Amino acid sequence: MSYPSKAIQRFYLPNGASSLPEVSHGDGIYLWDTNGARYMDASSGPVVNNIGHANKRVISAMTRQAGRVAYASRAHFENAPNRELAEKVTALAGDGFDQAYVVSGGSEAIEAAIKLAKQYVEAIGQSERSIVLARNPSYHGATLGAAAVTGDAMSRKLFADLMNPQPLVPTPFTYRVPDNFSSESHARHCAQALADEIERVGADKVLAFLMEPVGGLATGALVAPDIYYTEVRKICDRYGILLIFDEVMSGAGRTGAFLAAHHWPDCRPDIVVLAKGVAAGYTPLGIVLAPDQIVEPVANGGGFSHGHTYAANPLSCAVASEVISVLEEDELIANADVVGEFLKAGLWGVAEECPIIGDVRGKGLLMAVELVRDRETKSIFPADANVIGRTVAVGMEEGLALYARRTSGGVFGEWLMISPPLITSKSQAEELCDRLSRTLKRVSEEMVPYL
Protein backbone atom coordinates (compact mmCIF):
# COMPACT_ATOMS: atom_id res chain seq x y z
CA MET A 1 0.00 0.00 0.00
CA SER A 2 1.41 3.42 -0.92
CA TYR A 3 0.89 6.65 0.97
CA PRO A 4 1.12 10.26 -0.23
CA SER A 5 4.43 11.96 0.57
CA LYS A 6 4.42 13.77 3.89
CA ALA A 7 7.02 16.22 5.17
CA ILE A 8 7.33 18.54 8.12
CA GLN A 9 8.03 21.41 5.71
CA ARG A 10 4.37 21.29 4.73
CA PHE A 11 3.67 23.03 8.05
CA TYR A 12 6.17 25.82 7.38
CA LEU A 13 6.43 26.52 3.67
CA PRO A 14 3.70 28.49 1.88
CA ASN A 15 1.99 27.01 -1.13
CA GLY A 16 4.19 27.19 -4.19
CA ALA A 17 7.46 27.45 -2.26
CA SER A 18 10.36 25.33 -3.44
CA SER A 19 10.99 22.21 -1.41
CA LEU A 20 14.15 22.03 0.69
CA PRO A 21 16.99 19.65 -0.14
CA GLU A 22 16.90 16.29 1.61
CA VAL A 23 19.78 15.81 4.05
CA SER A 24 21.90 12.71 3.55
CA HIS A 25 24.60 12.83 6.21
CA GLY A 26 26.90 15.08 8.18
CA ASP A 27 30.52 15.08 9.25
CA GLY A 28 32.22 17.72 11.38
CA ILE A 29 30.95 21.15 10.39
CA TYR A 30 29.49 19.99 7.06
CA LEU A 31 26.22 18.48 5.84
CA TRP A 32 25.48 16.76 2.53
CA ASP A 33 22.20 16.42 0.69
CA THR A 34 21.05 13.38 -1.27
CA ASN A 35 22.31 14.96 -4.52
CA GLY A 36 25.84 15.13 -3.14
CA ALA A 37 25.97 18.89 -2.52
CA ARG A 38 27.97 19.91 0.58
CA TYR A 39 26.97 22.71 2.96
CA MET A 40 28.94 24.37 5.74
CA ASP A 41 26.76 24.38 8.88
CA ALA A 42 27.48 28.06 9.49
CA SER A 43 24.88 28.47 12.23
CA SER A 44 25.04 24.99 13.79
CA GLY A 45 21.43 24.59 12.69
CA PRO A 46 19.51 26.82 15.12
CA VAL A 47 22.72 27.13 17.20
CA VAL A 48 22.65 23.50 18.31
CA ASN A 49 25.50 21.41 16.89
CA ASN A 50 28.24 22.57 19.25
CA ILE A 51 30.55 19.60 18.62
CA GLY A 52 29.71 19.08 14.94
CA HIS A 53 28.13 16.12 13.21
CA ALA A 54 28.86 12.37 13.44
CA ASN A 55 31.12 12.53 16.49
CA LYS A 56 32.22 8.92 16.95
CA ARG A 57 32.53 9.15 20.74
CA VAL A 58 28.97 10.36 21.14
CA ILE A 59 27.61 7.78 18.72
CA SER A 60 29.39 5.03 20.66
CA ALA A 61 28.01 6.32 23.98
CA MET A 62 24.53 6.41 22.45
CA THR A 63 24.84 2.83 21.22
CA ARG A 64 26.21 1.53 24.53
CA GLN A 65 23.42 3.09 26.57
CA ALA A 66 20.71 1.99 24.14
CA GLY A 67 21.97 -1.55 24.56
CA ARG A 68 21.58 -1.31 28.33
CA VAL A 69 18.37 0.63 28.84
CA ALA A 70 16.95 3.44 26.72
CA TYR A 71 14.16 4.46 29.05
CA ALA A 72 13.24 3.93 32.70
CA SER A 73 10.73 6.11 34.49
CA ARG A 74 12.21 8.45 37.08
CA ALA A 75 9.20 7.51 39.24
CA HIS A 76 10.63 4.01 39.58
CA PHE A 77 14.41 4.27 39.15
CA GLU A 78 17.39 6.54 39.40
CA ASN A 79 19.95 6.12 36.64
CA ALA A 80 23.70 6.56 36.47
CA PRO A 81 23.78 8.66 33.26
CA ASN A 82 21.52 11.26 34.90
CA ARG A 83 23.83 11.50 37.93
CA GLU A 84 26.94 11.65 35.75
CA LEU A 85 25.51 14.41 33.58
CA ALA A 86 24.39 16.41 36.61
CA GLU A 87 27.81 16.09 38.23
CA LYS A 88 29.64 17.22 35.10
CA VAL A 89 27.36 20.16 34.36
CA THR A 90 27.19 21.49 37.92
CA ALA A 91 30.98 21.22 38.24
CA LEU A 92 31.48 23.24 35.07
CA ALA A 93 28.81 25.75 36.10
CA GLY A 94 30.63 26.36 39.39
CA ASP A 95 29.63 27.42 42.88
CA GLY A 96 25.97 28.18 43.39
CA PHE A 97 24.71 25.71 40.79
CA ASP A 98 24.32 22.58 42.88
CA GLN A 99 21.41 20.77 41.24
CA ALA A 100 20.52 19.87 37.64
CA TYR A 101 17.00 19.01 36.48
CA VAL A 102 16.99 17.35 33.04
CA VAL A 103 14.11 17.70 30.56
CA SER A 104 13.63 17.33 26.81
CA GLY A 105 14.43 20.79 25.48
CA GLY A 106 14.66 24.53 25.92
CA SER A 107 10.99 25.45 26.12
CA GLU A 108 10.40 22.74 28.72
CA ALA A 109 13.41 23.92 30.70
CA ILE A 110 12.22 27.54 30.71
CA GLU A 111 8.84 26.48 32.06
CA ALA A 112 10.47 24.20 34.63
CA ALA A 113 12.67 27.09 35.81
CA ILE A 114 9.67 29.36 36.25
CA LYS A 115 7.72 26.68 38.10
CA LEU A 116 10.72 26.01 40.35
CA ALA A 117 10.98 29.72 41.13
CA LYS A 118 7.26 29.88 41.94
CA GLN A 119 7.36 26.85 44.21
CA TYR A 120 10.42 28.26 45.96
CA VAL A 121 8.67 31.51 46.89
CA GLU A 122 5.64 29.52 47.99
CA ALA A 123 7.88 27.46 50.26
CA ILE A 124 9.44 30.53 51.88
CA GLY A 125 6.15 32.31 52.46
CA GLN A 126 6.12 34.76 49.53
CA SER A 127 3.20 33.30 47.61
CA GLU A 128 2.11 36.71 46.31
CA ARG A 129 5.07 36.72 43.91
CA SER A 130 3.97 35.48 40.48
CA ILE A 131 5.00 38.04 37.82
CA VAL A 132 7.92 37.20 35.55
CA LEU A 133 9.47 40.17 33.79
CA ALA A 134 11.27 39.72 30.48
CA ARG A 135 12.67 41.90 27.71
CA ASN A 136 11.26 43.25 24.46
CA PRO A 137 12.35 41.77 22.13
CA SER A 138 13.28 38.35 23.43
CA TYR A 139 12.64 34.69 22.76
CA HIS A 140 12.29 32.02 25.43
CA GLY A 141 10.42 29.19 23.75
CA ALA A 142 7.43 28.07 21.72
CA THR A 143 5.16 26.51 24.34
CA LEU A 144 2.43 28.77 25.70
CA GLY A 145 4.13 29.26 29.06
CA ALA A 146 7.45 30.14 27.45
CA ALA A 147 5.71 32.33 24.88
CA ALA A 148 4.03 34.25 27.70
CA VAL A 149 7.47 35.48 28.81
CA THR A 150 8.71 36.12 25.28
CA GLY A 151 8.89 39.62 23.87
CA ASP A 152 7.55 39.18 20.36
CA ALA A 153 4.60 41.29 19.23
CA MET A 154 3.56 38.92 16.46
CA SER A 155 3.50 35.88 18.74
CA ARG A 156 1.57 37.78 21.41
CA LYS A 157 -1.01 38.95 18.92
CA LEU A 158 -1.56 35.41 17.66
CA PHE A 159 -1.67 33.56 20.99
CA ALA A 160 -2.58 36.20 23.60
CA ASP A 161 -6.02 34.70 24.26
CA LEU A 162 -4.43 31.35 25.15
CA MET A 163 -1.84 32.55 27.64
CA ASN A 164 -1.05 35.12 30.32
CA PRO A 165 1.44 37.53 28.70
CA GLN A 166 3.92 38.92 31.21
CA PRO A 167 5.23 42.52 31.41
CA LEU A 168 8.20 43.48 29.26
CA VAL A 169 11.06 45.95 29.65
CA PRO A 170 13.33 47.36 26.92
CA THR A 171 16.34 45.46 25.65
CA PRO A 172 19.72 47.24 25.84
CA PHE A 173 20.61 47.25 22.15
CA THR A 174 24.09 48.49 21.27
CA TYR A 175 23.60 49.07 17.53
CA ARG A 176 20.12 50.57 17.32
CA VAL A 177 20.59 53.00 20.19
CA PRO A 178 17.92 55.74 20.56
CA ASP A 179 18.85 59.33 19.83
CA ASN A 180 20.75 61.18 22.57
CA PHE A 181 22.02 57.94 24.09
CA SER A 182 25.34 56.15 24.01
CA SER A 183 25.29 52.37 24.25
CA GLU A 184 26.30 52.63 27.92
CA SER A 185 23.77 55.31 28.85
CA HIS A 186 21.09 53.34 27.04
CA ALA A 187 22.08 50.24 29.01
CA ARG A 188 21.67 52.22 32.24
CA HIS A 189 18.32 53.48 30.98
CA CYS A 190 17.15 49.91 30.30
CA ALA A 191 18.26 48.77 33.74
CA GLN A 192 16.37 51.66 35.29
CA ALA A 193 13.33 50.71 33.22
CA LEU A 194 13.48 47.30 34.89
CA ALA A 195 13.43 48.92 38.32
CA ASP A 196 10.61 51.24 37.26
CA GLU A 197 8.52 48.32 36.01
CA ILE A 198 9.06 46.44 39.25
CA GLU A 199 7.75 49.47 41.14
CA ARG A 200 4.82 49.86 38.73
CA VAL A 201 3.52 46.30 39.07
CA GLY A 202 4.42 46.03 42.75
CA ALA A 203 7.78 44.79 43.97
CA ASP A 204 6.18 42.23 46.28
CA LYS A 205 4.40 40.65 43.29
CA VAL A 206 7.44 40.09 41.05
CA LEU A 207 8.85 36.58 41.03
CA ALA A 208 11.74 36.81 38.59
CA PHE A 209 13.49 38.61 35.76
CA LEU A 210 14.27 36.38 32.77
CA MET A 211 16.95 37.36 30.23
CA GLU A 212 19.50 36.01 27.77
CA PRO A 213 23.00 37.15 28.85
CA VAL A 214 24.08 36.98 25.20
CA GLY A 215 21.21 37.36 22.81
CA GLY A 216 19.88 34.64 20.57
CA LEU A 217 17.70 34.90 17.51
CA ALA A 218 15.48 37.69 18.88
CA THR A 219 18.35 40.16 19.34
CA GLY A 220 21.06 38.81 17.06
CA ALA A 221 23.85 37.86 19.51
CA LEU A 222 23.43 41.05 21.51
CA VAL A 223 26.08 41.66 24.17
CA ALA A 224 25.09 44.56 26.44
CA PRO A 225 27.64 46.90 28.04
CA ASP A 226 29.06 45.45 31.26
CA ILE A 227 27.27 48.02 33.41
CA TYR A 228 23.91 46.54 32.42
CA TYR A 229 24.67 43.18 34.02
CA THR A 230 25.98 44.82 37.18
CA GLU A 231 22.89 46.99 37.54
CA VAL A 232 20.45 44.15 36.82
CA ARG A 233 21.93 42.03 39.60
CA LYS A 234 21.76 44.97 42.03
CA ILE A 235 18.12 45.62 41.13
CA CYS A 236 17.11 41.97 41.58
CA ASP A 237 18.86 41.89 44.96
CA ARG A 238 17.24 45.17 46.03
CA TYR A 239 13.74 43.84 45.42
CA GLY A 240 14.33 40.20 46.37
CA ILE A 241 13.67 39.00 42.83
CA LEU A 242 15.16 35.87 41.27
CA LEU A 243 17.37 36.36 38.21
CA ILE A 244 17.00 33.63 35.59
CA PHE A 245 19.45 33.37 32.70
CA ASP A 246 18.17 31.77 29.52
CA GLU A 247 21.36 30.16 28.20
CA VAL A 248 19.61 27.83 25.79
CA MET A 249 21.85 29.24 23.03
CA SER A 250 24.69 30.88 24.91
CA GLY A 251 25.47 28.00 27.29
CA ALA A 252 27.61 24.87 26.96
CA GLY A 253 30.73 26.72 25.84
CA ARG A 254 29.25 28.64 22.94
CA THR A 255 30.58 32.06 24.07
CA GLY A 256 34.05 30.89 25.11
CA ALA A 257 32.99 30.07 28.68
CA PHE A 258 30.84 27.16 29.83
CA LEU A 259 28.15 29.64 30.88
CA ALA A 260 27.89 33.09 29.36
CA ALA A 261 27.22 34.13 32.97
CA HIS A 262 30.89 33.47 33.70
CA HIS A 263 31.81 36.56 31.68
CA TRP A 264 30.05 38.72 34.31
CA PRO A 265 30.95 37.30 37.74
CA ASP A 266 29.19 40.18 39.53
CA CYS A 267 25.93 39.19 37.85
CA ARG A 268 25.58 35.57 38.86
CA PRO A 269 22.05 34.36 38.12
CA ASP A 270 19.95 32.41 40.61
CA ILE A 271 18.76 29.88 38.02
CA VAL A 272 20.22 28.98 34.61
CA VAL A 273 18.50 27.21 31.72
CA LEU A 274 20.57 25.19 29.23
CA ALA A 275 19.55 23.26 26.11
CA LYS A 276 20.62 23.10 22.43
CA GLY A 277 24.42 22.82 22.66
CA VAL A 278 24.43 20.86 25.92
CA ALA A 279 23.44 17.79 23.91
CA ALA A 280 24.63 19.26 20.59
CA GLY A 281 21.70 17.97 18.56
CA TYR A 282 22.43 14.30 19.27
CA THR A 283 19.32 14.06 21.44
CA PRO A 284 16.57 16.45 22.62
CA LEU A 285 17.61 17.72 26.04
CA GLY A 286 17.41 20.74 28.35
CA ILE A 287 18.67 21.39 31.87
CA VAL A 288 17.69 23.68 34.74
CA LEU A 289 20.59 24.56 37.06
CA ALA A 290 19.73 25.80 40.54
CA PRO A 291 21.36 26.17 43.96
CA ASP A 292 20.57 24.06 46.99
CA GLN A 293 19.10 27.12 48.70
CA ILE A 294 16.28 27.15 46.12
CA VAL A 295 15.87 23.41 45.67
CA GLU A 296 15.92 22.38 49.33
CA PRO A 297 12.86 24.39 50.46
CA VAL A 298 10.93 22.96 47.50
CA ALA A 299 12.05 19.43 48.32
CA ASN A 300 11.20 19.89 51.98
CA GLY A 301 7.76 21.17 51.04
CA GLY A 302 6.81 17.94 49.31
CA GLY A 303 8.98 17.99 46.21
CA PHE A 304 8.91 19.69 42.83
CA SER A 305 5.35 19.60 41.52
CA HIS A 306 6.28 19.26 37.88
CA GLY A 307 7.37 16.59 35.46
CA HIS A 308 7.64 15.32 31.91
CA THR A 309 7.72 11.77 30.60
CA TYR A 310 11.32 12.04 29.41
CA ALA A 311 12.75 13.89 32.39
CA ALA A 312 16.11 12.31 33.36
CA ASN A 313 15.79 9.89 30.43
CA PRO A 314 18.90 7.63 30.67
CA LEU A 315 19.60 7.48 26.94
CA SER A 316 19.50 11.24 26.49
CA CYS A 317 21.54 11.80 29.66
CA ALA A 318 24.24 9.39 28.48
CA VAL A 319 24.46 11.18 25.15
CA ALA A 320 24.67 14.63 26.73
CA SER A 321 27.21 13.42 29.27
CA GLU A 322 29.50 12.32 26.44
CA VAL A 323 28.96 15.64 24.64
CA ILE A 324 30.16 17.43 27.78
CA SER A 325 33.21 15.15 27.94
CA VAL A 326 34.04 16.01 24.32
CA LEU A 327 33.69 19.72 25.07
CA GLU A 328 36.14 19.41 27.96
CA GLU A 329 38.68 16.95 26.63
CA ASP A 330 38.93 18.48 23.15
CA GLU A 331 39.18 21.97 24.69
CA LEU A 332 36.35 23.23 22.52
CA ILE A 333 35.34 26.02 24.89
CA ALA A 334 38.79 27.60 24.56
CA ASN A 335 38.60 27.05 20.81
CA ALA A 336 35.30 28.93 20.69
CA ASP A 337 37.02 31.89 22.31
CA VAL A 338 40.09 31.91 20.04
CA VAL A 339 38.38 31.08 16.74
CA GLY A 340 35.50 33.37 17.68
CA GLU A 341 37.79 36.40 17.80
CA PHE A 342 39.39 35.35 14.51
CA LEU A 343 35.98 34.88 12.87
CA LYS A 344 34.70 38.22 14.15
CA ALA A 345 37.66 39.99 12.54
CA GLY A 346 36.95 38.10 9.33
CA LEU A 347 33.29 39.12 9.39
CA TRP A 348 34.26 42.77 9.79
CA GLY A 349 36.48 42.23 6.74
CA VAL A 350 33.44 40.99 4.83
CA ALA A 351 31.53 44.05 6.05
CA GLU A 352 34.16 46.38 4.57
CA GLU A 353 33.38 44.93 1.14
CA CYS A 354 29.63 44.53 1.59
CA PRO A 355 27.55 47.70 2.05
CA ILE A 356 24.47 45.86 3.34
CA ILE A 357 26.21 44.73 6.54
CA GLY A 358 25.51 47.24 9.29
CA ASP A 359 26.91 45.48 12.35
CA VAL A 360 28.88 42.45 13.50
CA ARG A 361 28.45 41.43 17.14
CA GLY A 362 28.53 38.60 19.61
CA LYS A 363 30.85 36.61 21.84
CA GLY A 364 32.86 33.48 21.13
CA LEU A 365 31.16 31.50 18.38
CA LEU A 366 27.76 33.08 19.01
CA MET A 367 27.73 35.98 16.56
CA ALA A 368 25.42 37.77 14.18
CA VAL A 369 25.68 39.96 11.11
CA GLU A 370 22.95 42.61 10.87
CA LEU A 371 21.76 43.55 7.38
CA VAL A 372 20.70 47.10 6.50
CA ARG A 373 19.66 49.04 3.43
CA ASP A 374 21.57 52.14 4.53
CA ARG A 375 24.47 52.10 6.97
CA GLU A 376 24.19 55.76 7.89
CA THR A 377 20.52 55.66 8.84
CA LYS A 378 20.53 51.94 9.80
CA SER A 379 17.29 51.58 7.85
CA ILE A 380 16.27 48.05 6.91
CA PHE A 381 15.03 46.68 3.61
CA PRO A 382 11.27 46.64 3.04
CA ALA A 383 9.51 43.36 3.69
CA ASP A 384 8.88 42.73 0.00
CA ALA A 385 12.63 42.74 -0.66
CA ASN A 386 12.87 39.57 1.45
CA VAL A 387 16.58 40.20 1.96
CA ILE A 388 16.86 37.64 4.76
CA GLY A 389 15.01 34.96 2.80
CA ARG A 390 17.12 35.60 -0.29
CA THR A 391 20.32 35.52 1.75
CA VAL A 392 19.44 32.13 3.20
CA ALA A 393 18.48 30.78 -0.25
CA VAL A 394 21.60 32.13 -1.98
CA GLY A 395 23.70 30.91 0.92
CA MET A 396 22.50 27.37 0.28
CA GLU A 397 23.50 27.75 -3.35
CA GLU A 398 26.94 28.84 -2.15
CA GLY A 399 27.18 25.86 0.20
CA LEU A 400 26.39 27.83 3.37
CA ALA A 401 23.53 26.87 5.72
CA LEU A 402 22.43 30.00 7.63
CA TYR A 403 19.95 30.75 10.42
CA ALA A 404 18.26 34.14 10.13
CA ARG A 405 15.56 36.30 11.69
CA ARG A 406 13.54 39.43 11.00
CA THR A 407 12.40 40.20 14.56
CA SER A 408 8.86 41.48 15.18
CA GLY A 409 8.32 42.12 11.49
CA GLY A 410 11.54 44.10 11.22
CA VAL A 411 10.90 46.56 14.06
CA PHE A 412 14.21 45.62 15.67
CA GLY A 413 16.16 44.74 12.51
CA GLU A 414 17.14 41.55 10.73
CA TRP A 415 20.26 39.43 10.92
CA LEU A 416 22.10 36.23 10.19
CA MET A 417 23.32 34.12 13.09
CA ILE A 418 26.96 33.18 12.49
CA SER A 419 27.55 30.40 14.96
CA PRO A 420 29.42 27.42 13.50
CA PRO A 421 30.26 24.36 15.65
CA LEU A 422 32.87 24.83 18.35
CA ILE A 423 35.21 22.46 16.48
CA THR A 424 35.62 25.07 13.73
CA SER A 425 39.24 25.84 12.80
CA LYS A 426 40.66 29.17 11.65
CA SER A 427 40.92 27.89 8.08
CA GLN A 428 37.26 26.87 8.20
CA ALA A 429 36.38 30.30 9.60
CA GLU A 430 38.10 31.80 6.56
CA GLU A 431 36.10 29.49 4.31
CA LEU A 432 32.90 30.63 6.03
CA CYS A 433 33.78 34.27 5.44
CA ASP A 434 34.59 33.59 1.79
CA ARG A 435 31.27 31.85 1.22
CA LEU A 436 29.39 34.57 3.11
CA SER A 437 31.12 37.27 1.06
CA ARG A 438 30.07 35.59 -2.19
CA THR A 439 26.55 35.14 -0.88
CA LEU A 440 26.12 38.76 0.19
CA LYS A 441 27.70 40.09 -3.00
CA ARG A 442 25.04 38.28 -5.00
CA VAL A 443 22.27 39.42 -2.66
CA SER A 444 23.53 43.04 -2.78
CA GLU A 445 23.25 42.96 -6.56
CA GLU A 446 19.68 41.69 -6.30
CA MET A 447 18.84 44.46 -3.82
CA VAL A 448 19.96 47.34 -6.06
CA PRO A 449 16.32 48.30 -6.87
CA TYR A 450 15.72 48.84 -3.12
CA LEU A 451 18.84 50.90 -2.43
Side-chain angles (χ1 to χ4, degrees), residues 74-87:
R74 64 180 180 81
H76 298 138
F77 298 98
E78 291 189 4
N79 67 80
N82 179 229
R83 285 198 304 272
E84 291 166 4
L85 175 60
E87 288 168 2

Side-chain angles (χ1 to χ4, degrees), residues 175-189:
Y175 178 61
R176 297 185 179 279
V177 178
D179 292 342
N180 302 317
F181 281 101
S182 66
S183 59
E184 182 170 320
S185 66
H186 184 239
R188 290 181 182 275
H189 169 79

Side-chain angles (χ1 to χ4, degrees), residues 92 116 119 178 195-196 213 308 319 328 395:
L92 286 168
L116 176 63
Q119 290 177 59
D196 292 344
H308 288 284
V319 170
E328 285 192 279

